[in-house]
């Protein structure tokens, strides 16, 4: 199993982040039906007022769990992911993707 952490940095302004989140509302159920997908959750910062918390108000962090790199690659090539990219291209500045495995067995 692989865990993917994808930080999607949106253009400044809450409306850009919300536009991307709105697209995720319809995308998430479709992705969860893909072969090899075991989790696909968009996350945003919770305002806890804790002094050690780092926040990024213009970011969405996707937490994904995939059975294999092949499943992840197939996911990125689906028509619905290509459509998502097209629909959100004016709201997204960039994306940083980490592909992780457990550090201890």
């Amino acid at each position: 199993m692989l865990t993917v952490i994808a930080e999607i940095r949106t253009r400044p302004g809450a409306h850009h982040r919300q536009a991307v989140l709105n697209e995720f509302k319809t995308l998430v159920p479709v992705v969860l039906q893909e072969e090899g997908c075991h989790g696909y959750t968009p996350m945003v910062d919770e305002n806890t007022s804790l002094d050690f918390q780092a926040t990024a108000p213009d970011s969405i962090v996707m937490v994904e769990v995939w059975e294999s790199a092949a499943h992840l690659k197939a996911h990125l090539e689906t028509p619905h992911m290509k459509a998502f990219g097209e629909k959100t291209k004016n709201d997204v500045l960039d994306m940083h993707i980490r592909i992780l495995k457990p550090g201890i067995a």
Side-chain angles (χ1 to χ4, degrees), residues 60-71:
I60 299 164
V61 176
M62 287 300 298
V63 178
E64 308 173 28
V65 180
W66 292 94
E67 200 167 306
S68 70
H71 287 102

Side-chain angles (χ1 to χ4, degrees), residues 6-80:
E7 182 179 5
I8 302 166
R9 198 165 57 97
T10 62
R11 295 188 185 284
H15 62 286
H16 289 291
R17 185 175 83 169
Q18 191 57 53
V20 176
L21 288 170
N22 289 343
E23 292 298 328
F24 272 126
K25 286 180 185 178
T26 56
L27 181 67
V28 168
V30 176
V31 173
L32 288 172
Q33 296 301 310
E34 289 181 41
E35 183 178 341
C37 181
H38 297 274
Y40 195 76
T41 308
M43 310 287 285
V44 296
D45 290 319
E46 171 70 29
N47 184 6
T48 65
S49 301
L50 295 171
D51 61 355
F52 55 84
Q53 179 183 8
T55 60
D58 296 323
S59 287
I60 299 164
V61 176
M62 287 300 298
V63 178
E64 308 173 28
V65 180
W66 292 94
E67 200 167 306
S68 70
H71 287 102
L72 174 59
K73 185 176 181 195
H75 157 69
L76 295 173
E77 295 172 358
T78 60
H80 52 267

